[in-house]
């Protein structure tokens, strides 16, 4: 009887340990960072905006030549230490939200007319081979206008978004 009791106790002990390990939640931030880290190619960008009384947004693809003139390169490396490297040059820092649903690019430096610009991007899709980031133009325009005029216009309903698609 002692052997059966000991065996039963041992089995319960191991089962409870296995259940504890299998029920632990994964950290979404760490998972997203691990997937993002590495070199990506910006393969497509689309600006979507609404003009006047139109109900639908107009989607305008941005060609490779324009992408290179905006970013200087189409090769983006998200480094382990939170630095975003574009075309071999450190461009900014990036941070992933705790829930793993957004990525914020943080531009800091003495060479910038505006210090500590934060560009929050929604992570619309993320796999090992493809990443899509969405950025509201309202936030970008508000930052620039606030710098130039010192007036915060973030309440204005500027209806434009940018989609950046990266592949490996």
């Amino acid at each position: 009887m002692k052997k059966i009791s000991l065996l039963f106790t041992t089995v319960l002990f191991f089962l409870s340990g296995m259940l504890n390990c299998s029920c632990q939640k994964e950290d979404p931030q760490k998972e997203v960072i691990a997937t993002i880290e590495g070199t990506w190619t910006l393969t497509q960008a689309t600006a979507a905006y609404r003009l006047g009384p139109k109900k639908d947004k107009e989607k305008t693809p941005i060609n490779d030549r324009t992408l290179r003139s905006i970013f200087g390169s189409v090769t983006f490396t998200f480094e382990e230490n939170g630095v975003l490297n574009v075309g071999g040059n450190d461009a900014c820092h990036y941070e992933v939200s705790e829930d793993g649903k957004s990525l914020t690019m943080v531009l800091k430096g003495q060479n910038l007319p505006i210090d500590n610009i934060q560009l929050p991007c929604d992570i619309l899709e993320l796999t090992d081979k493809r990443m899509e980031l969405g950025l509201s133009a309202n936030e970008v325009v508000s930052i620039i206008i606030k710098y130039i005029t010192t007036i915060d216009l973030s309440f204005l309903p500027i209806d434009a978004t940018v989609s950046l698609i990266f592949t490996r």
Side-chain angles (χ1 to χ4, degrees):
M1 190 67 161
K2 273 187 168 182
K3 287 183 181 181
I4 292 174
S5 177
L6 181 62
L7 178 64
F8 185 69
T9 305
T10 305
V11 168
L12 281 177
F13 176 75
F14 281 112
L15 282 176
S16 66
M18 288 173 37
L19 286 174
N20 259 351
C21 290
S22 66
C23 292
Q24 289 178 352
K25 292 184 179 178
E26 304 248 350
D27 184 356
Q29 182 184 38
K30 286 183 181 177
E31 285 183 42
V32 168
I33 291 171
T35 306
I36 288 176
E37 285 177 359
T39 301
W40 296 82
T41 301
L42 181 60
T43 55
Q44 182 182 349
T46 305
Y49 55 91
R50 187 173 297 154
L51 292 174
K54 281 189 154 197
K55 292 184 180 180
D56 297 327
K57 283 187 177 181
E58 298 286 329
K59 288 187 177 180
T60 304
I62 303 170
N63 63 32
D64 187 59
R65 187 176 186 192
T66 305
L67 290 174
R68 287 182 187 279
S69 67
I70 293 171
F71 297 107
S73 176
V74 292
T75 303
F76 288 66
T77 302
F78 292 84
E79 297 177 1
E80 184 178 340
N81 62 358
V83 172
L84 175 57
N85 184 296
V86 180
N89 300 308
D90 291 347
C92 65
H93 287 83
Y94 71 93
E95 301 166 357
V96 174
S97 64
E98 286 184 24
D99 63 4
K101 294 181 180 180
S102 64
L103 178 145
T104 301
M105 295 180 198
V106 183
L107 296 105
K108 298 178 183 179
Q110 297 171 347
N111 298 340
L112 297 172
I114 309 171
D115 193 28
N116 200 23
I117 300 172
Q118 297 189 8
L119 305 175
C121 302
D122 293 323
I123 299 174
L124 303 174
E125 180 183 351
L126 180 61
T127 65
D128 291 337
K129 302 285 182 198
R130 189 173 193 275
M131 174 171 55
E132 182 177 0
L133 301 177
L135 175 65
S136 166
N138 185 11
E139 294 156 351
V140 176
V141 171
S142 295
I143 290 168
I144 294 168
I145 290 174
K146 188 174 181 180
Y147 171 74
I148 294 170
T149 65
T150 66
I151 299 170
D152 185 5
L153 298 176
S154 60
F155 63 88
L156 288 178
I158 299 170
D159 195 9
T161 56
V162 175
S163 168
L164 302 173
I165 298 175
F166 300 87
T167 57
R168 302 191 216 232

